[in-house]
Amino acid sequence: MSPNQRPPEQAASMPVPYDKPLCIALLNDMLRIRRMEEKSAELYGAGKIRGFLHLYVGEEAVAVGALHALAAQDNIVATYREHGHALVRGVPMNVIMAEMFGKQAGCSRGRGGSMHLFDRATHFFGGNAIVGSGLALVTGLALADKLQNIARVNACFFGEGAIAEGVFHESMNLAALWGLPALFVCENNFYAMGTALARSESQTDLCAKAASYNMPTRKVDGMDVVAVHEAATFAAQQVRDGNGPFFLECQTYRFRAHSMFDPDLYRDAAEIEQWKQRGPLHTFSNRLKAEGKLSEEEFLALDAQAETELQAALAFAEAADWEPTEDLLKDVYSPAAAP
C-alpha cells in the first residue's frame, strides 16, 4: 500500500459543531444513500438494473457534507457515480429507482439509467458518463451566471481520474481567468477505474495542480462528513462572495469495485479493510453517541426509516410503466428515415 492509498487519521475528537437536527440530517442522508446503493447491487445481480452501475458505498460523506453546504438554487453537476448526489439534492428515491429500472417514471424517463440522472427542478444537471465532461458543463453554467449577474454557486463533483483529462486543465484555466462562480469538488478515491493515482499522475498533489491556475484550494478528509461540510461551507461562501472559483479535494475511498463489471483485482483486501475502519457512517454515529446527540434507538429508527423509503421506492419502480414503443423516437435528434 503506497502512502497515497493509506486512510487518513481518525477524525478529531473535538465536538461536532452542529445542533442535533443538522447532525441527524447528515447521518440520515448517509444512511439513505448506503441502503439504496446496497440494494442496487442486489438488483443488478437480479437483472432488474442493467447496463453500467457505479456504487457510492464508502464515499457518502462527500456528497452529504458538500450538498448540505449549498443552497437550493445552486447548480449541481456530477459524475456517473451520482445516485447519492441526486438523492441528497432532493430527487425522490422512487424516481431514481424507476430510472435505474429503465421505467418511464424515472427522472430521465428511463432513457438515461444509472449514469444519467437529471432533474431540472432541483438544479441537478447530471449524471454524466464521460469522464471529466461535467467540468466543461459547470464552467459553462458559471459563465452564464456571471454574464447574467446571477449570484449562485455552480458545483461540480468529479473523480481524481478526470484530472488527467485535458478538459480539467481547460476548465480550471477559464474559470480562474474569467473569475467564474464555480466550486470544483474532487472526490479523490485514489483509483481511476483500476489505476492507482501514483501510476497515472506524476504530480499526486491535486491541490497543487489547481493552484497552478491561481485558484484557491483546500484538501480535506472525505471520510469525515463534518470536515467536508465545514470545508464546503467555506468554499461555497468564497464563490458566492464573488471571489472566483474554488477547488476542494476530498480524500475518500470506495468500498466496492469501480463498477459491477470490475473484478477489483488491483487492490489488497487489507487496504480495503483498513479504509472501512474509517467508514463515514459508523465514525460519525459513534461521535454523536459519545456526545449524547444520538442514541442507539434513534440510530435504529433512522435505519428503519431508510429501509421503509427504499421498499416504497422499489414498489414504485416495479409498478411503473415502460415507455411505449411508439414514443421511442421522441426527442431523438435525427429520427430514422421512413422505409
Side-chain angles (χ1 to χ4, degrees):
M1 186 188 307
S2 74
N4 285 327
Q5 270 84 265
R6 291 196 182 101
E9 295 300 320
Q10 183 74 25
S13 58
M14 62 187 301
V16 176
Y18 312 132
D19 58 16
K20 184 170 180 174
L22 178 54
C23 291
I24 296 299
L26 296 173
L27 178 60
N28 183 50
D29 276 341
M30 288 197 290
L31 275 169
R32 294 171 69 223
I33 294 173
R34 180 67 63 88
R35 294 302 174 224
M36 181 178 70
E37 295 292 71
E38 288 175 338
K39 178 57 70 172
S40 294
E42 292 179 27
L43 294 167
Y44 193 89
K48 295 289 186 179
I49 297 175
R50 301 185 182 186
F52 287 95
L53 182 68
H54 306 83
L55 300 176
Y56 205 61
V57 177
E59 301 186 24
E60 295 91 350
V62 179
V64 173
L67 288 169
H68 273 270
L70 298 174
Q73 71 272 17
D74 293 336
N75 293 325
I76 310 297
V77 180
T79 68
Y80 44 72
R81 198 183 306 278
E82 89 286 22
H83 313 149
H85 305 82
L87 184 66
V88 177
R89 189 56 181 172
V91 183
M93 190 185 292
N94 59 356
V95 174
I96 294 173
M97 196 60 72
E99 184 61 37
M100 291 200 284
F101 273 47
K103 298 294 187 71
Q104 189 171 219
C107 56
S108 299
R109 296 191 1 234
R111 295 188 175 198
S114 166
M115 296 193 287
H116 299 97
L117 303 179
F118 177 93
D119 185 59
R120 181 66 182 85
T122 58
H123 295 258
F124 188 76
F125 294 97
N128 296 277
I130 299 173
V131 174
S133 62
L135 291 157
L137 292 176
V138 84
T139 301
L141 288 168
L143 176 60
D145 278 356
K146 182 164 186 177
L147 292 174
Q148 298 176 83
N149 294 314
I150 297 175
R152 176 165 52 199
V153 175
N154 296 273
C156 179
F157 293 84
F158 56 97
E160 84 289 345
I163 292 180
E165 300 287 335
V167 68
F168 169 79
H169 301 279
E170 294 166 345
S171 300
M172 293 292 107
N173 182 58
L174 290 178
L177 187 65
W178 295 337
L180 302 182
L183 173 58
F184 297 98
V185 183
C186 177
E187 299 180 314
N188 179 10
N189 62 27
F190 299 103
Y191 289 96
M193 295 184 69
T195 305
L197 178 62
R199 295 178 65 88
S200 61
E201 297 281 342
S202 60
Q203 170 57 276
T204 59
D205 185 343
L206 306 183
C207 285
K209 290 177 181 283
S212 72
Y213 293 101
N214 197 28
M215 187 181 301
T217 69
R218 181 169 291 189
K219 183 179 300 185
V220 68
D221 177 5
M223 304 300 279
D224 178 0
V225 69
V226 175
V228 175
H229 186 64
E230 291 290 291
T233 299
F234 173 82
Q237 193 59 52
Q238 291 294 302
V239 174
R240 208 179 303 281
D241 288 344
N243 296 317
F246 197 104
F247 177 88
L248 179 61
E249 177 191 351
C250 301
Q251 295 189 336
T252 185
Y253 199 84
R254 52 176 169 78
F255 295 163
R256 288 181 171 265
H258 169 73
S259 73
M260 297 300 289
F261 286 102
D262 177 13
D264 203 7
L265 301 177
Y266 45 84
R267 307 187 292 183
D268 293 334
E271 177 184 308
I272 299 173
E273 288 305 312
Q274 189 175 353
W275 274 92
K276 283 184 176 180
Q277 298 306 308
R278 290 281 294 109
L281 276 164
H282 71 258
T283 55
F284 185 55
S285 60
N286 286 344
R287 289 173 73 185
L288 295 183
K289 289 175 183 177
E291 295 177 23
K293 293 179 178 177
L294 178 74
S295 66
E296 179 64 15
E297 291 72 22
E298 288 173 314
F299 178 84
L300 293 174
L302 287 174
D303 197 29
Q305 180 178 305
E307 181 64 25
T308 298
E309 181 184 13
L310 175 62
Q311 293 304 319
L314 290 176
F316 178 85
E318 288 279 11
D321 294 328
W322 300 100
E323 184 175 17
T325 54
E326 57 269 23
D327 288 352
L328 292 180
L329 292 181
K330 281 186 177 180
D331 304 319
V332 175
Y333 180 71
S334 180

